[in-house]
Short mmCIF file of all heavy atoms in Angstrom, two decimals:
data_model
loop_
_atom_site.label_atom_id
_atom_site.label_comp_id
_atom_site.label_asym_id
_atom_site.label_seq_id
_atom_site.Cartn_x
_atom_site.Cartn_y
_atom_site.Cartn_z
N MET A 282 0.83 -1.20 0.00
CA MET A 282 0.00 0.00 0.00
C MET A 282 0.86 1.24 0.00
O MET A 282 1.92 1.29 0.60
CB MET A 282 -0.90 0.03 1.25
CG MET A 282 -1.96 -1.08 1.24
SD MET A 282 -2.97 -1.03 2.74
CE MET A 282 -3.78 0.57 2.54
N ARG A 283 0.34 2.23 -0.65
CA ARG A 283 1.05 3.51 -0.67
C ARG A 283 0.63 4.36 0.52
O ARG A 283 -0.49 4.26 1.00
CB ARG A 283 0.75 4.26 -1.96
CG ARG A 283 1.31 3.56 -3.20
CD ARG A 283 0.94 4.37 -4.42
NE ARG A 283 1.43 3.72 -5.65
CZ ARG A 283 1.18 4.20 -6.86
NH1 ARG A 283 0.47 5.30 -7.01
NH2 ARG A 283 1.65 3.58 -7.92
N GLN A 284 1.54 5.19 0.88
CA GLN A 284 1.19 6.11 1.95
C GLN A 284 0.49 7.33 1.36
O GLN A 284 1.09 8.35 1.09
CB GLN A 284 2.45 6.55 2.70
CG GLN A 284 3.09 5.38 3.45
CD GLN A 284 4.34 5.80 4.18
OE1 GLN A 284 4.82 6.90 3.98
NE2 GLN A 284 4.86 4.93 5.02
N ALA A 285 -0.78 7.17 1.15
CA ALA A 285 -1.54 8.20 0.48
C ALA A 285 -1.74 9.43 1.37
O ALA A 285 -1.16 10.48 1.14
CB ALA A 285 -2.89 7.66 0.06
N ASN A 286 -2.54 9.22 2.37
CA ASN A 286 -2.85 10.36 3.24
C ASN A 286 -2.20 10.20 4.61
O ASN A 286 -2.71 10.64 5.61
CB ASN A 286 -4.37 10.49 3.40
CG ASN A 286 -5.01 10.87 2.08
OD1 ASN A 286 -4.42 11.59 1.29
ND2 ASN A 286 -6.22 10.37 1.85
N ASP A 287 -1.11 9.53 4.60
CA ASP A 287 -0.45 9.29 5.88
C ASP A 287 0.55 10.40 6.16
O ASP A 287 1.73 10.19 6.37
CB ASP A 287 0.25 7.94 5.84
CG ASP A 287 0.72 7.55 7.24
OD1 ASP A 287 0.29 8.21 8.21
OD2 ASP A 287 1.51 6.62 7.35
N ASN A 288 0.03 11.60 6.14
CA ASN A 288 0.90 12.74 6.38
C ASN A 288 0.75 13.28 7.79
O ASN A 288 1.17 14.37 8.10
CB ASN A 288 0.61 13.85 5.36
CG ASN A 288 -0.85 14.27 5.41
OD1 ASN A 288 -1.62 13.73 6.21
ND2 ASN A 288 -1.22 15.22 4.58
N ASP A 289 0.11 12.49 8.62
CA ASP A 289 -0.10 12.94 9.99
C ASP A 289 0.28 11.83 10.95
O ASP A 289 -0.58 11.19 11.55
CB ASP A 289 -1.55 13.37 10.18
CG ASP A 289 -1.74 14.05 11.53
OD1 ASP A 289 -0.73 14.34 12.20
OD2 ASP A 289 -2.88 14.27 11.92
N PRO A 290 1.54 11.57 11.10
CA PRO A 290 1.98 10.47 11.94
C PRO A 290 1.87 10.77 13.43
O PRO A 290 2.00 9.89 14.24
CB PRO A 290 3.46 10.31 11.56
CG PRO A 290 3.86 11.69 11.13
CD PRO A 290 2.63 12.31 10.50
N LYS A 291 1.60 12.03 13.74
CA LYS A 291 1.52 12.40 15.15
C LYS A 291 0.28 11.78 15.79
O LYS A 291 -0.78 11.76 15.18
CB LYS A 291 1.46 13.92 15.30
CG LYS A 291 2.76 14.58 14.88
CD LYS A 291 2.65 16.09 15.06
CE LYS A 291 3.94 16.77 14.61
NZ LYS A 291 3.87 18.24 14.73
N PRO A 292 0.41 11.32 16.99
CA PRO A 292 -0.74 10.74 17.68
C PRO A 292 -1.77 11.80 18.01
O PRO A 292 -1.43 12.91 18.42
CB PRO A 292 -0.14 10.15 18.96
CG PRO A 292 1.11 10.94 19.18
CD PRO A 292 1.61 11.30 17.80
N LYS A 293 -3.00 11.44 17.82
CA LYS A 293 -4.07 12.38 18.14
C LYS A 293 -4.59 12.12 19.54
O LYS A 293 -4.59 11.02 20.01
CB LYS A 293 -5.21 12.24 17.13
CG LYS A 293 -4.80 12.65 15.74
CD LYS A 293 -5.97 12.50 14.79
CE LYS A 293 -5.55 12.91 13.38
NZ LYS A 293 -6.66 12.75 12.42
N GLY A 294 -5.01 13.17 20.16
CA GLY A 294 -5.54 13.03 21.49
C GLY A 294 -4.70 13.78 22.50
O GLY A 294 -3.54 14.11 22.26
N LYS A 295 -5.31 14.05 23.61
CA LYS A 295 -4.62 14.75 24.67
C LYS A 295 -4.57 13.92 25.93
O LYS A 295 -5.44 13.08 26.17
CB LYS A 295 -5.33 16.08 24.96
CG LYS A 295 -5.24 17.07 23.82
CD LYS A 295 -5.93 18.36 24.21
CE LYS A 295 -5.83 19.38 23.07
NZ LYS A 295 -6.51 20.65 23.42
N CYS A 296 -3.58 14.20 26.71
CA CYS A 296 -3.45 13.52 27.98
C CYS A 296 -4.60 13.93 28.89
O CYS A 296 -4.83 15.11 29.08
CB CYS A 296 -2.11 13.89 28.62
SG CYS A 296 -1.92 13.25 30.28
N PRO A 297 -5.35 12.97 29.41
CA PRO A 297 -6.49 13.29 30.27
C PRO A 297 -6.06 13.89 31.60
O PRO A 297 -6.89 14.41 32.33
CB PRO A 297 -7.17 11.93 30.46
CG PRO A 297 -6.10 10.93 30.25
CD PRO A 297 -5.15 11.53 29.25
N ILE A 298 -4.80 13.80 31.90
CA ILE A 298 -4.32 14.31 33.17
C ILE A 298 -3.94 15.77 33.07
O ILE A 298 -4.41 16.61 33.82
CB ILE A 298 -3.12 13.49 33.67
CG1 ILE A 298 -3.50 12.01 33.78
CG2 ILE A 298 -2.63 14.02 35.01
CD1 ILE A 298 -4.65 11.74 34.71
N CYS A 299 -3.09 16.08 32.14
CA CYS A 299 -2.58 17.44 32.06
C CYS A 299 -2.97 18.14 30.77
O CYS A 299 -2.79 19.33 30.63
CB CYS A 299 -1.06 17.44 32.22
SG CYS A 299 -0.22 16.64 30.84
N GLY A 300 -3.50 17.38 29.82
CA GLY A 300 -4.00 18.00 28.60
C GLY A 300 -2.94 18.18 27.54
O GLY A 300 -3.21 18.74 26.48
N ARG A 301 -1.74 17.71 27.79
CA ARG A 301 -0.69 17.81 26.79
C ARG A 301 -0.89 16.74 25.72
O ARG A 301 -1.60 15.76 25.95
CB ARG A 301 0.67 17.64 27.48
CG ARG A 301 0.97 18.79 28.41
CD ARG A 301 2.13 18.47 29.31
NE ARG A 301 3.38 18.27 28.57
CZ ARG A 301 4.54 17.96 29.13
NH1 ARG A 301 4.60 17.80 30.42
NH2 ARG A 301 5.61 17.82 28.40
N PRO A 302 -0.27 16.94 24.60
CA PRO A 302 -0.43 15.95 23.51
C PRO A 302 -0.04 14.55 23.97
O PRO A 302 0.94 14.36 24.69
CB PRO A 302 0.53 16.46 22.44
CG PRO A 302 0.63 17.93 22.68
CD PRO A 302 0.53 18.09 24.18
N MET A 303 -0.83 13.63 23.53
CA MET A 303 -0.61 12.26 23.93
C MET A 303 0.64 11.68 23.29
O MET A 303 0.98 12.00 22.16
CB MET A 303 -1.81 11.41 23.51
CG MET A 303 -1.70 9.95 23.90
SD MET A 303 -2.96 8.94 23.10
CE MET A 303 -2.29 8.89 21.44
N VAL A 304 1.31 10.84 24.04
CA VAL A 304 2.45 10.12 23.50
C VAL A 304 2.06 8.66 23.34
O VAL A 304 1.53 8.04 24.25
CB VAL A 304 3.66 10.22 24.45
CG1 VAL A 304 4.83 9.38 23.94
CG2 VAL A 304 4.07 11.67 24.59
N VAL A 305 2.28 8.15 22.14
CA VAL A 305 1.81 6.80 21.83
C VAL A 305 2.37 5.79 22.82
O VAL A 305 1.71 4.86 23.24
CB VAL A 305 2.22 6.42 20.41
CG1 VAL A 305 1.80 4.98 20.10
CG2 VAL A 305 1.57 7.38 19.41
N GLN A 306 3.59 6.02 23.20
CA GLN A 306 4.24 5.07 24.08
C GLN A 306 3.55 4.97 25.44
O GLN A 306 3.56 3.93 26.08
CB GLN A 306 5.70 5.50 24.28
CG GLN A 306 6.50 4.50 25.09
CD GLN A 306 7.95 4.93 25.21
OE1 GLN A 306 8.33 5.94 24.64
NE2 GLN A 306 8.74 4.17 25.94
N TYR A 307 2.95 6.08 25.83
CA TYR A 307 2.32 6.11 27.15
C TYR A 307 0.83 6.37 27.06
O TYR A 307 0.22 6.79 28.02
CB TYR A 307 2.96 7.21 28.00
CG TYR A 307 4.45 7.08 28.12
CD1 TYR A 307 5.29 8.01 27.52
CD2 TYR A 307 5.00 6.01 28.82
CE1 TYR A 307 6.66 7.89 27.62
CE2 TYR A 307 6.37 5.89 28.92
CZ TYR A 307 7.20 6.83 28.32
OH TYR A 307 8.55 6.71 28.42
N ARG A 308 0.29 6.18 25.86
CA ARG A 308 -1.11 6.50 25.67
C ARG A 308 -2.00 5.81 26.67
O ARG A 308 -1.71 4.70 27.09
CB ARG A 308 -1.51 6.14 24.24
CG ARG A 308 -1.48 4.64 23.96
CD ARG A 308 -1.86 4.39 22.54
NE ARG A 308 -1.75 2.97 22.21
CZ ARG A 308 -2.02 2.47 21.00
NH1 ARG A 308 -2.37 3.26 20.02
NH2 ARG A 308 -1.91 1.19 20.78
N PRO A 309 -3.10 6.45 26.99
CA PRO A 309 -3.53 7.75 26.45
C PRO A 309 -2.91 8.93 27.17
O PRO A 309 -3.45 10.03 27.11
CB PRO A 309 -5.05 7.69 26.69
CG PRO A 309 -5.18 6.94 27.97
CD PRO A 309 -4.04 5.93 27.97
N PHE A 310 -1.81 8.70 27.82
CA PHE A 310 -1.19 9.77 28.58
C PHE A 310 0.00 10.32 27.82
O PHE A 310 0.35 9.84 26.74
CB PHE A 310 -0.76 9.27 29.96
CG PHE A 310 -1.87 8.57 30.69
CD1 PHE A 310 -1.89 7.20 30.76
CD2 PHE A 310 -2.88 9.29 31.28
CE1 PHE A 310 -2.92 6.54 31.41
CE2 PHE A 310 -3.91 8.65 31.94
CZ PHE A 310 -3.93 7.27 32.01
N CYS A 311 0.63 11.33 28.40
CA CYS A 311 1.74 11.96 27.71
C CYS A 311 3.06 11.53 28.30
O CYS A 311 4.11 11.74 27.72
CB CYS A 311 1.59 13.48 27.79
SG CYS A 311 1.87 14.13 29.45
N SER A 312 3.01 10.95 29.46
CA SER A 312 4.24 10.56 30.12
C SER A 312 3.92 9.53 31.19
O SER A 312 2.78 9.41 31.63
CB SER A 312 4.89 11.79 30.77
OG SER A 312 4.05 12.29 31.80
N PRO A 313 4.93 8.78 31.60
CA PRO A 313 4.69 7.78 32.66
C PRO A 313 4.26 8.43 33.95
O PRO A 313 3.61 7.81 34.78
CB PRO A 313 6.06 7.08 32.80
CG PRO A 313 7.05 8.02 32.21
CD PRO A 313 6.31 8.77 31.13
N ARG A 314 4.60 9.68 34.09
CA ARG A 314 4.20 10.37 35.32
C ARG A 314 2.68 10.54 35.38
O ARG A 314 2.05 10.29 36.39
CB ARG A 314 4.88 11.74 35.37
CG ARG A 314 4.57 12.48 36.66
CD ARG A 314 5.33 13.77 36.71
NE ARG A 314 5.05 14.51 37.95
CZ ARG A 314 5.61 15.66 38.25
NH1 ARG A 314 6.48 16.22 37.42
NH2 ARG A 314 5.32 16.26 39.36
N CYS A 315 2.14 11.00 34.25
CA CYS A 315 0.69 11.17 34.20
C CYS A 315 -0.01 9.83 34.33
O CYS A 315 -1.08 9.72 34.90
CB CYS A 315 0.29 11.88 32.91
SG CYS A 315 0.64 13.65 32.95
N LYS A 316 0.62 8.83 33.78
CA LYS A 316 0.05 7.50 33.90
C LYS A 316 0.01 7.07 35.35
O LYS A 316 -0.93 6.43 35.82
CB LYS A 316 0.90 6.52 33.08
CG LYS A 316 0.26 5.15 32.93
CD LYS A 316 1.11 4.30 32.02
CE LYS A 316 0.47 2.93 31.81
NZ LYS A 316 1.27 2.11 30.89
N ASP A 317 1.02 7.48 36.07
CA ASP A 317 1.09 7.17 37.48
C ASP A 317 0.04 7.94 38.26
O ASP A 317 -0.54 7.45 39.21
CB ASP A 317 2.48 7.52 38.00
CG ASP A 317 2.90 6.55 39.09
OD1 ASP A 317 2.71 5.34 38.91
OD2 ASP A 317 3.43 7.02 40.11
N VAL A 318 -0.18 9.16 37.83
CA VAL A 318 -1.19 9.99 38.49
C VAL A 318 -2.56 9.36 38.36
O VAL A 318 -3.33 9.31 39.31
CB VAL A 318 -1.19 11.40 37.88
CG1 VAL A 318 -2.38 12.20 38.42
CG2 VAL A 318 0.11 12.11 38.21
N ASP A 319 -2.83 8.85 37.17
CA ASP A 319 -4.13 8.24 36.95
C ASP A 319 -4.29 7.01 37.82
O ASP A 319 -5.33 6.76 38.40
CB ASP A 319 -4.27 7.87 35.47
CG ASP A 319 -5.67 7.36 35.19
OD1 ASP A 319 -6.60 8.18 35.21
OD2 ASP A 319 -5.82 6.16 34.95
N LEU A 320 -3.22 6.26 37.93
CA LEU A 320 -3.25 5.08 38.78
C LEU A 320 -3.45 5.47 40.23
O LEU A 320 -4.16 4.83 40.98
CB LEU A 320 -1.94 4.30 38.62
CG LEU A 320 -1.87 3.00 39.43
CD1 LEU A 320 -2.95 2.02 39.02
CD2 LEU A 320 -0.50 2.37 39.29
N GLY A 321 -2.82 6.56 40.61
CA GLY A 321 -2.94 7.04 41.98
C GLY A 321 -4.36 7.44 42.32
O GLY A 321 -4.80 7.28 43.44
N ARG A 322 -5.06 7.93 41.32
CA ARG A 322 -6.44 8.32 41.57
C ARG A 322 -7.26 7.12 41.97
O ARG A 322 -8.12 7.19 42.84
CB ARG A 322 -7.04 8.96 40.32
CG ARG A 322 -6.51 10.36 40.09
CD ARG A 322 -7.23 10.98 38.92
NE ARG A 322 -6.79 12.35 38.69
CZ ARG A 322 -7.29 13.14 37.75
NH1 ARG A 322 -8.23 12.68 36.94
NH2 ARG A 322 -6.86 14.36 37.58
N TRP A 323 -6.98 6.03 41.31
CA TRP A 323 -7.72 4.81 41.65
C TRP A 323 -7.37 4.37 43.06
O TRP A 323 -8.24 4.02 43.85
CB TRP A 323 -7.35 3.70 40.67
CG TRP A 323 -8.05 3.83 39.37
CD1 TRP A 323 -7.60 4.47 38.26
CD2 TRP A 323 -9.34 3.33 39.03
NE1 TRP A 323 -8.53 4.38 37.27
CE2 TRP A 323 -9.60 3.69 37.70
CE3 TRP A 323 -10.30 2.59 39.74
CZ2 TRP A 323 -10.80 3.33 37.06
CZ3 TRP A 323 -11.48 2.24 39.09
CH2 TRP A 323 -11.71 2.62 37.77
N LEU A 324 -6.11 4.39 43.38
CA LEU A 324 -5.68 3.86 44.66
C LEU A 324 -6.11 4.74 45.82
O LEU A 324 -6.38 4.27 46.90
CB LEU A 324 -4.16 3.73 44.67
CG LEU A 324 -3.62 2.72 43.65
CD1 LEU A 324 -2.11 2.70 43.70
CD2 LEU A 324 -4.18 1.33 43.90
N THR A 325 -6.18 6.03 45.57
CA THR A 325 -6.51 6.95 46.65
C THR A 325 -7.99 7.21 46.73
O THR A 325 -8.43 8.01 47.52
CB THR A 325 -5.78 8.28 46.45
OG1 THR A 325 -6.12 8.81 45.17
CG2 THR A 325 -4.27 8.09 46.54
N GLY A 326 -8.75 6.55 45.91
CA GLY A 326 -10.20 6.70 46.01
C GLY A 326 -10.72 7.89 45.25
O GLY A 326 -11.77 8.43 45.56
N GLY A 327 -9.96 8.33 44.29
CA GLY A 327 -10.43 9.43 43.47
C GLY A 327 -11.67 9.02 42.71
O GLY A 327 -12.56 9.84 42.47
N TYR A 328 -11.71 7.78 42.38
CA TYR A 328 -12.90 7.26 41.74
C TYR A 328 -13.79 6.63 42.81
O TYR A 328 -13.32 6.12 43.81
CB TYR A 328 -12.53 6.19 40.72
CG TYR A 328 -11.83 6.74 39.52
CD1 TYR A 328 -10.45 6.88 39.51
CD2 TYR A 328 -12.55 7.16 38.41
CE1 TYR A 328 -9.79 7.40 38.42
CE2 TYR A 328 -11.90 7.68 37.32
CZ TYR A 328 -10.52 7.80 37.32
OH TYR A 328 -9.89 8.31 36.25
N VAL A 329 -15.06 6.70 42.56
CA VAL A 329 -15.99 6.17 43.54
C VAL A 329 -15.97 4.65 43.52
O VAL A 329 -16.21 4.04 42.49
CB VAL A 329 -17.41 6.66 43.24
CG1 VAL A 329 -18.40 6.05 44.24
CG2 VAL A 329 -17.46 8.18 43.31
N ILE A 330 -15.64 4.10 44.64
CA ILE A 330 -15.62 2.65 44.75
C ILE A 330 -16.87 2.18 45.49
O ILE A 330 -17.11 2.58 46.63
CB ILE A 330 -14.37 2.18 45.50
CG1 ILE A 330 -13.12 2.63 44.75
CG2 ILE A 330 -14.38 0.66 45.64
CD1 ILE A 330 -11.84 2.32 45.50
N GLN A 331 -17.64 1.37 44.84
CA GLN A 331 -18.87 0.93 45.45
C GLN A 331 -18.60 -0.21 46.42
O GLN A 331 -17.90 -1.15 46.10
CB GLN A 331 -19.85 0.46 44.38
CG GLN A 331 -20.31 1.60 43.49
CD GLN A 331 -21.30 1.13 42.46
OE1 GLN A 331 -21.51 -0.07 42.30
NE2 GLN A 331 -21.92 2.06 41.75
N THR A 332 -19.19 -0.09 47.57
CA THR A 332 -19.03 -1.13 48.57
C THR A 332 -20.39 -1.71 48.91
O THR A 332 -21.42 -1.27 48.39
CB THR A 332 -18.37 -0.56 49.83
OG1 THR A 332 -19.20 0.46 50.35
CG2 THR A 332 -17.00 -0.01 49.51
N ASP A 333 -20.39 -2.66 49.81
CA ASP A 333 -21.66 -3.26 50.20
C ASP A 333 -22.46 -2.31 51.07
O ASP A 333 -23.67 -2.42 51.17
CB ASP A 333 -21.38 -4.55 50.97
CG ASP A 333 -20.80 -5.60 50.04
OD1 ASP A 333 -21.00 -5.46 48.83
OD2 ASP A 333 -20.15 -6.52 50.54
N GLU A 334 -21.75 -1.42 51.71
CA GLU A 334 -22.45 -0.48 52.58
C GLU A 334 -22.97 0.70 51.77
O GLU A 334 -22.20 1.48 51.22
CB GLU A 334 -21.50 0.01 53.67
CG GLU A 334 -21.06 -1.11 54.60
CD GLU A 334 -20.13 -0.59 55.67
OE1 GLU A 334 -19.78 0.60 55.58
OE2 GLU A 334 -19.76 -1.35 56.56
N GLU A 335 -24.27 0.80 51.75
CA GLU A 335 -24.86 1.92 51.03
C GLU A 335 -25.35 2.98 52.01
O GLU A 335 -25.95 2.64 53.03
CB GLU A 335 -26.04 1.43 50.19
CG GLU A 335 -25.60 0.50 49.08
CD GLU A 335 -26.79 0.04 48.26
OE1 GLU A 335 -27.92 0.39 48.62
OE2 GLU A 335 -26.57 -0.67 47.27
N PRO A 336 -25.08 4.19 51.72
CA PRO A 336 -25.54 5.27 52.60
C PRO A 336 -27.04 5.37 52.56
O PRO A 336 -27.67 5.30 51.51
CB PRO A 336 -24.89 6.52 52.00
CG PRO A 336 -24.65 6.16 50.56
CD PRO A 336 -24.36 4.67 50.57
N GLU A 337 -27.61 5.52 53.75
CA GLU A 337 -29.06 5.59 53.82
C GLU A 337 -29.55 6.94 53.32
O GLU A 337 -29.09 7.99 53.76
CB GLU A 337 -29.52 5.39 55.26
CG GLU A 337 -29.24 3.97 55.76
CD GLU A 337 -29.72 3.81 57.18
OE1 GLU A 337 -30.17 4.82 57.76
OE2 GLU A 337 -29.64 2.68 57.71
N GLN A 338 -30.46 6.87 52.41
CA GLN A 338 -31.01 8.11 51.88
C GLN A 338 -32.48 8.22 52.26
O GLN A 338 -33.23 7.26 52.18
CB GLN A 338 -30.88 8.13 50.35
CG GLN A 338 -29.43 8.19 49.93
CD GLN A 338 -29.30 8.20 48.42
OE1 GLN A 338 -30.29 8.03 47.73
NE2 GLN A 338 -28.12 8.40 47.93
N ASP A 339 -32.84 9.39 52.67
CA ASP A 339 -34.22 9.63 53.06
C ASP A 339 -35.07 9.87 51.82
O ASP A 339 -35.35 10.98 51.44
CB ASP A 339 -34.31 10.82 54.01
CG ASP A 339 -33.59 10.52 55.32
OD1 ASP A 339 -33.48 9.33 55.67
OD2 ASP A 339 -33.15 11.47 55.95
N GLU A 340 -35.43 8.78 51.21
CA GLU A 340 -36.23 8.93 49.99
C GLU A 340 -37.67 9.25 50.32
O GLU A 340 -38.41 9.78 49.51
CB GLU A 340 -36.17 7.63 49.19
CG GLU A 340 -34.77 7.36 48.66
CD GLU A 340 -34.74 6.07 47.89
OE1 GLU A 340 -35.79 5.38 47.86
OE2 GLU A 340 -33.70 5.75 47.31
N PHE A 341 -38.08 8.90 51.55
CA PHE A 341 -39.47 9.08 51.90
C PHE A 341 -39.68 10.33 52.74
O PHE A 341 -40.71 10.53 53.33
CB PHE A 341 -39.97 7.86 52.68
CG PHE A 341 -39.88 6.61 51.85
CD1 PHE A 341 -38.82 5.74 52.03
CD2 PHE A 341 -40.83 6.32 50.89
CE1 PHE A 341 -38.72 4.58 51.26
CE2 PHE A 341 -40.74 5.17 50.12
CZ PHE A 341 -39.68 4.30 50.30
N SER A 342 -38.67 11.12 52.84
CA SER A 342 -38.81 12.34 53.63
C SER A 342 -39.74 13.32 52.91
O SER A 342 -39.53 13.66 51.77
CB SER A 342 -37.45 12.98 53.84
OG SER A 342 -36.94 13.37 52.58
N PRO A 343 -40.78 13.73 53.61
CA PRO A 343 -41.72 14.66 53.00
C PRO A 343 -41.09 16.04 52.82
O PRO A 343 -40.20 16.42 53.55
CB PRO A 343 -42.88 14.73 54.01
CG PRO A 343 -42.24 14.36 55.31
CD PRO A 343 -41.14 13.38 54.97
N SER A 344 -41.59 16.73 51.88
CA SER A 344 -41.03 18.05 51.58
C SER A 344 -41.91 19.14 52.18
O SER A 344 -42.12 20.17 51.57
CB SER A 344 -40.90 18.24 50.08
OG SER A 344 -42.19 18.15 49.50
N ARG A 345 -42.45 18.82 53.35
CA ARG A 345 -43.37 19.78 53.97
C ARG A 345 -42.60 20.93 54.61
O ARG A 345 -43.17 21.92 55.00
CB ARG A 345 -44.22 19.09 55.01
CG ARG A 345 -43.42 18.50 56.16
CD ARG A 345 -44.31 17.73 57.10
NE ARG A 345 -43.51 17.11 58.18
CZ ARG A 345 -44.05 16.35 59.11
NH1 ARG A 345 -45.34 16.12 59.10
NH2 ARG A 345 -43.28 15.81 60.04
N GLU A 346 -41.31 20.75 54.75
CA GLU A 346 -40.52 21.83 55.32
C GLU A 346 -40.14 22.85 54.25
O GLU A 346 -39.26 23.66 54.41
CB GLU A 346 -39.24 21.27 55.94
CG GLU A 346 -39.56 20.41 57.13
CD GLU A 346 -38.29 19.86 57.73
OE1 GLU A 346 -37.22 20.09 57.15
OE2 GLU A 346 -38.37 19.22 58.78
N LYS A 347 -40.83 22.73 53.19
CA LYS A 347 -40.53 23.59 52.05
C LYS A 347 -40.91 25.03 52.35
O LYS A 347 -40.27 25.97 51.94
CB LYS A 347 -41.28 23.10 50.83
CG LYS A 347 -40.97 23.88 49.57
CD LYS A 347 -41.71 23.28 48.39
CE LYS A 347 -41.38 24.01 47.11
NZ LYS A 347 -42.11 23.44 45.98
N ASP A 348 -42.01 25.15 53.11
CA ASP A 348 -42.48 26.51 53.41
C ASP A 348 -41.93 26.96 54.75
O ASP A 348 -42.45 26.61 55.79
CB ASP A 348 -44.01 26.55 53.44
CG ASP A 348 -44.56 26.29 52.06
OD1 ASP A 348 -43.83 26.57 51.09
OD2 ASP A 348 -45.69 25.80 51.97
N GLU A 349 -40.87 27.65 54.70
CA GLU A 349 -40.29 28.19 55.93
C GLU A 349 -40.63 29.66 56.05
O GLU A 349 -40.15 30.48 55.29
CB GLU A 349 -38.79 28.00 55.94
CG GLU A 349 -38.40 26.53 56.00
CD GLU A 349 -36.90 26.38 55.99
OE1 GLU A 349 -36.23 27.41 55.82
OE2 GLU A 349 -36.42 25.25 56.16
N THR A 350 -41.46 29.94 57.05
CA THR A 350 -41.84 31.34 57.21
C THR A 350 -41.39 31.85 58.56
O THR A 350 -41.28 31.12 59.50
CB THR A 350 -43.36 31.51 57.12
OG1 THR A 350 -43.97 30.63 58.07
CG2 THR A 350 -43.84 31.17 55.74
ZN1 ZN B 559 0.04 14.36 30.86
#
């Protein structure tokens, strides 16, 4: 095959961490550091981890306190 429209060898996309151009080697990040940051978010609870314990929500609480005079 000929390289017809292959005039854009640069990787497309930005690093989700810092927004710098993505590096293919570390995609979708720009550097191993950013890759580490993303991993750290998981470990430190940056992402919501669902557990068996669910917080009790007052779904049946009436909204009668709406009128505060
Ligand atoms: Zn980055």
Side-chain angles (χ1 to χ4, degrees):
M282 293 179 65
R283 293 179 181 177
Q284 294 179 350
N286 293 327
D287 191 12
N288 57 0
D289 189 10
K291 293 181 181 178
K293 294 180 180 179
K295 293 182 179 180
C296 173
I298 303 301
C299 67
R301 293 167 64 181
M303 181 192 74
V304 176
V305 177
Q306 185 178 357
Y307 305 112
R308 67 181 176 180
F310 308 103
C311 70
S312 65
R314 183 176 180 179
C315 284
K316 190 175 182 178
D317 214 45
V318 171
D319 186 71
L320 181 61
R322 286 185 178 182
W323 281 92
L324 296 178
T325 57
Y328 291 88
V329 177
I330 301 174
Q331 294 181 350
T332 60
D333 291 339
E334 295 180 354
E335 294 180 356
E337 293 181 355
Q338 294 179 353
D339 295 334
E340 294 179 355
F341 298 100
S342 63
S344 61
R345 62 185 177 182
E346 294 180 355
K347 184 177 182 181
D348 293 334
E349 294 180 354
T350 55

